[in-house]
Amino acid sequence: MKNTMNQSEMKTSDGSGNKTVGRDVIRPDALEKVRGRARYAADLRRPGMVYAATARSSVASLTGLRVDSEDAERMPGVLRVVTAADIPGSTQVPLIYMDQPFLAIDRVRFHGEAVALVVAETMEQARAAAARVKISGEPGDLVLTPEEALADDAPVIFSPPDGLRDAARNVFKSYRICRGNAREALERSAFVIDREYRTPHQEHAYLEPQGMLAEPMDGGCLHIYGSMQCPFYVQDAVAAILGWPRSRITVIQTATGGAFGGKEDMPSIVAGHAALLAWLTDRPVSLIYDREEDFRAMSKRHPSIVRVIIGADARGHVTAADVFVTLDGGAYATLSPIVLWRSAVHAAGPYNWRDVSIHAQAVATHTVPNGAFRGFGEPQVVFAVESAMDELAQRVGKDPLTFRRDNIFQYETDQTATGQTVTQPSLMEALEKATAAVAWDENYHPPADRPPDMMASPVRGVGCSVSFYGVGLGAGGRKLARAGAYVQVEVDGSVRVFIGNTEMGQGARSVIGQIAAETLSAPFEKIHVGRADTSRVPDSGPTVASRTTVMSGNAVMNACMTIRASLETVAAEQFGCDRDALMATGDGFACRLHPATHMAFADTVSHAAAARLPLASSSWFVSPPTSFEEADGQGHAYMTYVWSANAVAVEIDPGTLQVKILKLAAAHDVGKAINPREVRGQIQGGALQGVGFALSETIAYSGRTPTIGSMPGGRMLNPGFSGYICPTAMDAPDIVPIVLETAYDNGPYGARGIGEPPLIGVAPAVANAVANALGVRVRNLPLCPEHILEAIQKQEIAHE
């Protein structure tokens, strides 16, 4: 059902505004984490518990797979070695295509693929035995890049499932968005650029690696505890591998040390393995990855190749965009089809193109599967289109800020590439505030105006970017666009709240607690938001896409409104007034007719319980309608958008070409900041993750021909933080979070969401600042000294 109360209607009855929403409350999980009392998956112990480890392929492509486990089975403490032949239910992970096996069956498609499981009395015994499992077969041809995968003679990695037989070989999914005739419009344009941009893998780098505990329970049931974003995905996977009904499987999230999308689909595999071993041994099984295993086997951000052809008329107004997006999906589809959908919908950016053509495809390679990652396919295309917009601005003869002012969404008649009319676009405000924060007018200088000896000393530049982010799953995931909640007020005035979405460090328990407290007029300290538990609420979809605040927040608010009706009934009776005369105080109610009177929340609850009024409620929220036509890509893609702008000031050392970010301003319209401190934290954390994507993070693979000793091709070369360089607190620039609030009518208290947008626009803003400083355009991420030097050399050759 649709929430019918908007932000203004949900103000307290005395008109004084929110009592809890909009405050910087302390996170409920803060103290247990800083004191080391939070219990993560690796901390869990059970009587009789045993330990599991995974035997993985050391090569990227094998056919005729053979497994010899005799040596491993004879090792001390080993209880059993398990292969795909031991799976009683489905051998395939239940996701979009079901193309990925829980354990490899006939062939291996990437280095690090799971082939067998070992269960032993200790973790050390299990890992030692897993290393003794012999995996062999016939080496297959390697496909390591999208270009190779699309070649006419490429070996088949992925064959389209039924219903997609018209798809090209090794193409997981493709989309086409078309409005008008982009090619004809480009031919008529006064200015046109045609550029290609590339982005690499990005590792999630969550603090806690993957981990699960599977525990057999009485009555032929199984409990799964672990680190995850999507308990209902895990429940589906365990039901599939065991061939059980979901009612016998309960999934409970433990404290989760970060996720960023990496614990959306991958925990289904980890939990499936632990559950299989628990069923086979009838003992609790702990399966905890170390960092290297997590790097090698778990999903990454999709590498991308994006070709952007855009034009403008003689006045500098954009005309048409023709964009070609290719994502490297890796060995299995995982979530590539829906990651690609978001890429396609956002590929043209928030600009007023009259004609648009977008072609997007995700292809298979013999590399680690790529899946969900903060931004979900959007950072790749935003890097491309925002870089291209700077290049087109230069061609037109305008500075990049003025060019954006002339062409971004500003009015509620503007339309996205899918033909959706935008509402409440606040891009201009975001852009102005972000650029003002880096003193754009004082610091921007066209590269042509710089002195010839500029490289004799550190050079500085500024850059900006704009983006928009569709909140929730959108039309591409509308079947999952629902959320449930259960709220129970105890007789002592304490409150239990359960939702189907998870807390993974983003502050969901704080925000949901604040929404419940505000709606019930209860002290925030009385609210306890429990961890996600599939036995408490119905399947509420995944914790992704910045959807928790809107979806679960609405469900909680609706449940609380039912309970509030009981509380207001007894309060009105006590005061001798109508319910309309009541005022919510944040700790119970008062009567407008008798201002000195007040009934505390706990007292109100006590009276309601004595009157046997309902003090518990379940609720269900379904997102507003969305649509998308596969034929032309037109439709109402998302229920609402977050509008964002980034501005960056950089300094570059002429000797090392090292880029230092001096200031990063990030402006985001969140609708309503339920907890402003958490919003600022999300912006700062996401921005720093974007800095890593921009400057240093990449995964390296050995090539087809071994170059390092006898190392086979397709092997990850930097599976750990010694070789994979992500920014730490010591590398953090001055990040200026700018919070804008334009209330969204269908959001709880006007909120939209903020989890994903802070990362999305950082890389292009940094790239544009580097180009402004050096007069050289780098089109490949990361913006490391090697890539900058390569771009300088190419420009010098072009000028000769």
Side-chain angles (χ1 to χ4, degrees), residues 516-547:
E518 187 74 37
T519 310
L520 291 170
S521 191
F524 175 75
E525 296 74 19
K526 294 286 188 179
I527 310 295
H528 174 76
V529 180
R531 296 204 177 275
D533 179 335
T534 58
S535 68
R536 297 282 188 170
V537 293
D539 187 341
S540 299
T543 310
V544 298
S546 303
R547 68 187 292 268

Side-chain angles (χ1 to χ4, degrees), residues 500-768:
N501 296 129
T502 61
E503 168 65 68
M504 50 191 170
Q506 82 276 40
R509 293 172 75 186
S510 302
V511 167
I512 295 300
Q514 287 177 265
I515 291 171
E518 187 74 37
T519 310
L520 291 170
S521 191
F524 175 75
E525 296 74 19
K526 294 286 188 179
I527 310 295
H528 174 76
V529 180
R531 296 204 177 275
D533 179 335
T534 58
S535 68
R536 297 282 188 170
V537 293
D539 187 341
S540 299
T543 310
V544 298
S546 303
R547 68 187 292 268
T548 298
T549 297
V550 173
M551 300 300 296
S552 289
N554 270 319
V556 166
M557 191 166 74
N558 290 340
C560 289
M561 287 303 297
T562 300
I563 299 170
R564 179 163 166 162
S566 296
L567 301 177
E568 288 184 343
T569 296
V570 297
E573 289 177 355
Q574 292 295 313
F575 294 137
C577 65
D578 294 334
R579 284 178 57 187
D580 290 344
L582 292 175
M583 301 184 296
T585 66
D587 182 10
F589 301 91
C591 178
R592 191 175 290 109
L593 304 179
H594 310 287
T597 61
H598 177 255
M599 179 179 288
F601 179 75
D603 293 335
T604 311
V605 169
S606 179
H607 283 283
R612 296 177 293 176
L613 295 177
L615 292 174
S617 176
S618 295
S619 183
W620 189 245
F621 180 79
V622 176
S623 73
T626 54
S627 62
F628 184 81
E629 295 295 330
E630 286 272 351
D632 60 5
Q634 297 299 288
H636 192 93
Y638 288 96
M639 58 182 173
T640 190
Y641 294 91
V642 173
W643 309 101
S644 305
N646 287 274
V648 173
V650 303
E651 180 179 89
I652 303 172
D653 185 299
T656 64
L657 297 179
Q658 197 74 37
V659 178
K660 179 181 180 181
I661 298 176
L662 303 175
K663 180 173 283 190
L664 194 168
H668 301 273
D669 192 337
V670 303
K672 174 64 180 178
I674 303 293
N675 186 319
R677 180 167 51 204
E678 295 295 327
V679 170
R680 295 191 298 272
Q682 283 286 296
I683 293 173
Q684 291 169 325
L688 187 58
Q689 212 165 20
V691 168
F693 186 50
L695 295 183
S696 62
E697 297 185 39
T698 185
I699 295 287
Y701 276 91
S702 58
R704 182 176 289 97
T705 302
T707 57
I708 304 176
S710 60
M711 181 178 292
R715 186 181 181 91
M716 190 181 295
L717 299 178
N718 56 334
F721 293 136
S722 60
Y724 183 88
I725 310 302
C726 55
T728 68
M730 297 296 291
D731 305 304
D734 178 11
I735 300 173
V736 181
I738 301 169
V739 180
L740 308 181
E741 295 181 291
T742 305
Y744 168 50
D745 283 349
N746 285 309
Y749 299 97
R752 299 174 191 267
I754 187 56
E756 314 240 353
L759 183 150
I760 291 169
V762 173
V766 176
N768 291 338

Side-chain angles (χ1 to χ4, degrees), residues 160-161 163-169:
L164 292 175
R165 291 300 178 189
D166 57 337
R169 177 176 52 184

Side-chain angles (χ1 to χ4, degrees), residues 196-277:
E196 183 180 274
Y197 305 88
R198 292 176 179 252
T199 65
H201 286 98
Q202 187 181 18
E203 162 65 26
H204 299 89
Y206 32 68
L207 290 177
E208 176 203 22
Q210 303 276 357
M212 290 286 168
L213 169 67
E215 183 178 16
M217 306 299 290
D218 292 340
C221 296
L222 194 68
H223 283 189
I224 305 292
Y225 304 86
S227 185
M228 67 189 79
Q229 290 179 238
C230 308
F232 300 98
Y233 284 12
V234 170
Q235 187 182 39
D236 282 345
V238 173
I241 197 170
L242 296 181
W244 288 10
R246 287 173 52 144
S247 57
R248 290 172 60 187
I249 300 157
T250 298
V251 179
I252 302 167
Q253 183 210 17
T254 56
T256 295
F260 311 115
K263 294 175 182 176
E264 178 177 353
D265 50 334
M266 292 294 104
S268 294
I269 299 173
V270 186
H273 291 169
L276 173 63
L277 295 174

